[in-house]
Amino acid sequence: MSVVTFPKSPVQTEMTPVFEVSCTVKRNDPVNGEYRQLVLYAPQSILDCAPGQFFHLLCPITEQLQPFLRRPMSIYGFYPEKGELHFLYKVTGEGTSALATLTAGQSLNVLGPLGHGFDILPDWQNLLLVARGVGLATLAPLALQAHRLGRNLTAICSARSEDMLMSLDYFRDLGAEIIPITDDNGSSDMANLRHIIEAKIADTGIDAMYTCGSNRILKLLQTLGEIHNIPGQIALEQQMACGIGMCQCCVRAFRRDGKTVNERVCREGPVFDLQEAIGW
Amino acid sequence: MVDLTTQIGSLTLKNPIMPASGTFSEELAQLFDLECLGAHVTKTITREKRSGNPTPRVCEVRGSMLNSIGIPSKGLDAFKANVIPFYERYSAPLIVSISAGSADEFASLCEDISVPGVAAIEVNISCPNIEEDGKAFAMRPSTTYAVMQKLRQATDLPLWAKLTPNTGETTEVAKAAEEAGADALVVSNTLLAMAIDIHTRRPKLGNLMGGLSGPAFKPIALRMAYQCAKSVNIPVIGCGGISTVEDVIEYLIAGAVAVQIGTATFLEPKIMVRMIDGLDAYLKSQGFQTVGQLVGSVEDEEASDGLVFMEAAP
Ligand SMILES: Cc1cc2nc3c(=O)[nH]c(=O)nc-3n(C[C@H](O)[C@H](O)[C@H](O)COP(=O)(O)OP(=O)(O)OC[C@H]3O[C@@H](n4cnc5c(N)ncnc54)[C@H](O)[C@@H]3O)c2cc1C
Ligand SMILES: Cc1cc2nc3c(=O)[nH]c(=O)nc-3n(C[C@H](O)[C@H](O)[C@H](O)COP(=O)(O)O)c2cc1C
Ligand code: FES
């Protein structure tokens, strides 16, 4: 099965520092109906991040909302030069609702940076990113990194409707080629997506593919990866308690060397080899 | 200067704060120097490789959590090759937690893990006894006695028996462990619990049921630690719901000579460091010279005689 195995970058060692710090909220604004962007003033120590890594957030306790565990959230942007850390999140339940109550000047305790992020190998010039919904939050810093490294990036951004498409300016400002697709006009179906990607492969070629979140996109990219011999990576999610590798609650199954292995999303992930990932 | 050391049988701990099994690993060294802890306690291991329970393995309930991690284990050999050497850099004693499905397997694993680098063995007898009816060894005094006796013959290292709150016979189980040769009791493991998503009507844990830990569990585990401290002469290590230094103090007053911190570390990874400092400050402010002066100082007077052995609602 796994024709293209991914060269893993060095694993975090026990001694790579992780920080638990209180940050001050700069702003926490709605982006559209369901999504919010949280901007924190952050100390330099925690801004030595890699795209695909995440932070584990201790959501505030309010009168109505009492989230207990921390909530994992991908880094949407990290800016050592201005001392900022950004998150893009969807309000879904107790923890994210509590996050949404934060206002400028309040503090938020964050733990991180955590996990193994995306790799961009030296000989990968043409990168393709396929993101849907809040997956954009996870893939956005990859665009930032590609820009910083001077690589070409094509971002296929998928959403239910035109107005749910987020972060297009973010990608555009980083010099990425953007291909928006939506359910509303039918452009987001798998056949069309396949057509778009294969045209890109035929045109400039693609050296690596990145995605997260959608099972159908995973399947499609696995197929295309195999046919065209293109490596890829996927960011995955799982319920977490500790976030740093101690509790074993966040495991997922992967295919490796003909066997099924369990790996911790918080530690060996959240970014994994595309071909090793198992759909859900 | 306050003397924070505490004695657990032949072992002297530099302070009474240590992690609980399954909520601690080498990775925590990324946040602080693990040397400061009273001891290091590893996740329970089994001899063979195991993959653990289906996901979701955790969920939260009001102010606490449930887990059904099970015991995923890389096996004894991997543990000896990777984990024990990691902890050799520290002077804090290494406590290895083990589990098995039968008394004989338990004993043979105990023998094989009694190697240099290991200071004591914590036996997780809260796990199911496959040879009997699948109930945990520590549910009953008889099965506790039987397994602890075999374990006692298998090692010269100190043996800590980790009890379960799911029993209705706390003091009897505690005494059985003592009689069979346990050097200390860890009180306790998680309490069997459940949560259901009312929208999907599905149990929130992949394993349907799981163990309650965290603040909501504290009064129950504290009650057990108190009962055990009153009914045995070996040291009791309190564990369950401890999330502040006040909780640590409460357990010590109840009679625990040391405490284990579990779930609280998930929320505040450096909480144990803060507790060590907080305990030191508290003892100073109260004019104590040693931790020992606080241990068992509960003002229960003669009322305790009747209450300790009570296993019914008042
Ligand atoms: C590595 C990683 C990165 C993530 N990045 C983002 C991001 O950038 N933006 C964003 O909007 N969301 C992200 N998520 C998902 C986010 O963590 C969940 O939406 C959030 O935890 C939901 O919490 P809640 O209390 O609002 O919802 P509830 O449904 O009430 O949560 C109940 C419990 O389930 C857990 N949970 C629920 N959904 C998820 C999920 N999808 N993944 C993991 N745990 C979950 C919660 O943490 C909580 O413990 C990420 C998840 C992971 C694992
Ligand atoms: C995620 C998780 C995993 C655990 N794994 C083990 C284990 O392997 N062996 C064991 O004896 N106890 C295990 N426990 C129980 C804890 O060691 C502790 O007894 C319990 O959580 C109560 O303490 P707390 O409320 O401070 O967490 C685990 C607890 C949690 C939350
Ligand atoms: S969340 Fe604890 S090991 Fe991943």
Side-chain angles (χ1 to χ4, degrees):
Chain A
M1 177 70 205
S2 189
V3 278
V4 238
T5 50
F6 209 89
K8 279 220 162 191
S9 66
V11 199
Q12 274 202 349
T13 70
E14 286 91 1
M15 295 306 172
T16 314
V18 168
F19 303 90
E20 181 205 343
V21 294
S22 262
C23 295
T24 304
V25 175
K26 182 179 181 188
R27 54 190 163 80
N28 183 24
D29 302 329
V31 175
N32 63 25
E34 298 168 316
Y35 297 88
R36 280 179 175 261
Q37 187 176 357
L38 174 63
V39 176
L40 303 176
Y41 292 112
Q44 290 300 319
S45 55
I46 67 169
L47 293 173
D48 185 12
C49 308
Q53 284 191 303
F54 70 98
F55 277 83
H56 215 20
L57 311 183
L58 196 60
C59 304
I61 306 274
T62 71
E63 238 167 71
Q64 284 87 35
L65 302 164
Q66 292 164 41
F68 181 68
L69 297 168
R70 286 175 181 264
R71 299 295 194 265
M73 213 51 80
S74 303
I75 300 165
Y76 181 55
F78 57 104
Y79 304 93
E81 55 297 349
K82 42 181 180 170
E84 286 181 14
L85 181 61
H86 296 197
F87 298 98
L88 181 73
Y89 64 98
K90 183 174 174 183
V91 178
T92 50
E94 193 153 21
T96 46
S97 299
L99 267 190
T101 67
L102 286 173
T103 53
Q106 284 187 290
S107 67
L108 176 69
N109 180 297
V110 307
L111 173 68
L114 297 169
H116 176 103
F118 292 106
D119 300 292
I120 303 180
L121 293 202
D123 55 340
W124 293 349
Q125 271 310 317
N126 297 315
L127 313 178
L128 173 77
L129 155 176
V130 186
R132 184 168 167 93
V134 79
L136 283 166
T138 306
L139 293 167
L142 186 65
L144 193 63
Q145 192 73 355
H147 178 71
R148 286 170 181 165
L149 293 172
R151 310 300 168 85
N152 306 320
L153 180 80
T154 303
I156 303 180
C157 303
S158 169
R160 248 180 295 145
S161 59
E162 196 79 26
D163 56 301
M164 297 301 284
L165 279 167
M166 284 178 301
S167 311
L168 297 189
D169 291 341
Y170 181 111
F171 288 118
R172 205 170 281 129
D173 290 348
L174 294 167
E177 176 195 359
I178 301 157
I179 306 176
I181 54 177
T182 64
D183 301 352
D184 278 1
N185 67 15
S187 55
S188 66
D189 75 68
M190 287 302 117
N192 189 48
L193 182 57
R194 180 174 185 146
H195 176 76
I196 295 171
I197 298 172
E198 292 200 306
K200 189 77 202 161
I201 295 171
D203 179 17
T204 59
I206 293 172
D207 298 319
M209 307 185 288
Y210 304 90
T211 190
C212 68
S214 156
N215 203 17
R216 291 188 313 154
I217 296 176
L218 165 66
K219 291 263 156 61
L220 175 65
L221 295 190
Q222 282 180 332
T223 308
L224 293 175
E226 258 191 275
I227 298 174
H228 301 280
N229 207 31
I230 302 169
Q233 289 188 315
I234 181 166
L236 293 170
E237 296 183 355
Q238 184 62 283
Q239 255 88 351
M240 292 186 181
C242 75
I244 65 175
M246 302 190 291
C247 73
Q248 313 270 348
C249 82
C250 63
V251 297
R252 275 186 172 275
F254 296 88
R255 261 184 311 254
R256 183 172 307 153
D257 307 326
K259 285 196 294 252
T260 303
V261 296
N262 273 337
E263 299 222 300
R264 294 166 297 184
V265 171
C266 76
R267 184 78 191 175
E268 286 82 35
V271 175
F272 293 93
D273 179 84
L274 184 72
Q275 296 295 347
E276 288 182 357
I278 298 178
W280 52 94
Chain B
M1 269 302 282
V2 184
D3 180 7
L4 286 183
T5 61
T6 192
Q7 198 70 30
I8 302 179
S10 57
L11 275 183
T12 306
L13 272 48
K14 58 178 163 293
N15 64 62
I17 312 284
M18 67 182 110
S21 177
T23 62
F24 175 77
S25 69
E26 299 88 295
E27 282 86 358
L28 201 57
Q30 294 175 289
L31 279 123
F32 66 90
D33 183 359
L34 305 182
E35 184 59 47
C36 72
L37 300 173
H40 299 151
V41 185
T42 55
K43 167 83 185 168
T44 301
I45 56 156
T46 54
R47 177 183 296 279
E48 70 288 358
K49 281 191 197 160
R50 290 161 52 109
S51 57
N53 287 328
T55 55
R57 290 178 172 184
V58 287
C59 71
E60 59 179 49
V61 291
R62 188 55 75 224
S64 281
M65 66 176 281
L66 310 187
N67 89 82
S68 59
I69 308 285
I71 305 181
S73 173
K74 292 208 162 81
L76 175 63
D77 296 336
F79 184 82
K80 279 202 211 164
N82 305 319
V83 182
I84 295 176
F86 173 85
Y87 290 100
E88 273 164 6
R89 71 193 76 176
Y90 302 108
S91 71
L94 178 65
I95 319 300
V96 173
S97 171
I98 61 168
S99 163
S102 74
D104 287 328
E105 284 171 45
F106 232 129
S108 90
L109 177 58
C110 184
E111 191 174 345
D112 291 344
I113 200 70
S114 299
V115 295
V118 178
I121 297 172
E122 183 176 291
V123 288
N124 180 2
I125 54 172
S126 324
C127 65
N129 176 355
I130 298 163
E131 280 183 339
E132 295 265 337
D133 47 10
K135 286 209 161 64
F137 294 93
M139 287 294 284
R140 287 185 290 247
S142 58
T143 43
T144 300
Y145 186 84
V147 71
M148 288 308 298
Q149 210 188 23
K150 287 207 165 145
L151 284 160
R152 183 67 285 166
Q153 284 158 15
T155 187
D156 292 328
L157 288 176
L159 273 180
W160 298 0
K162 185 157 179 187
L163 306 190
T164 171
N166 298 323
T167 180
E169 300 177 274
T170 303
T171 55
E172 291 82 354
V173 167
K175 285 192 213 159
E178 178 183 36
E179 256 171 64
D183 297 284
L185 304 177
V186 180
V187 187
S188 74
N189 215 311
T190 54
L191 183 65
L192 193 61
M194 189 174 190
I196 300 170
D197 184 321
I198 61 163
H199 305 294
T200 62
R201 301 189 189 184
R202 286 210 195 101
K204 289 191 180 175
L205 294 174
N207 194 50
L208 310 185
M209 294 181 275
L212 173 70
S213 65
F217 175 51
K218 198 195 77 179
I220 298 166
L222 181 81
R223 177 269 295 172
M224 288 182 66
Y226 170 76
Q227 286 179 305
C228 291
K230 286 283 173 187
S231 52
V232 298
N233 294 310
I234 51 177
V236 169
I237 300 160
C239 176
I242 300 175
S243 54
T244 62
V245 70
E246 287 77 13
D247 296 338
V248 173
I249 294 163
E250 195 177 354
Y251 268 90
L252 296 177
I253 293 172
V257 301
V259 291
Q260 295 188 344
I261 316 300
T263 304
T265 295
F266 296 163
L267 307 190
E268 281 184 72
K270 288 188 278 195
I271 188 84
M272 288 187 282
V273 184
R274 292 182 196 128
M275 285 171 173
I276 296 165
D277 295 342
L279 180 62
D280 185 77
Y282 170 82
L283 292 171
K284 266 192 201 119
S285 74
Q286 299 296 307
F288 287 112
Q289 274 88 50
T290 68
V291 170
Q293 292 171 320
L294 187 63
V295 171
S297 61
V298 54
E299 300 275 353
D300 54 359
E301 292 156 9
E302 68 277 6
S304 67
D305 298 345
L307 283 173
V308 176
F309 305 106
M310 189 161 76
E311 292 277 2

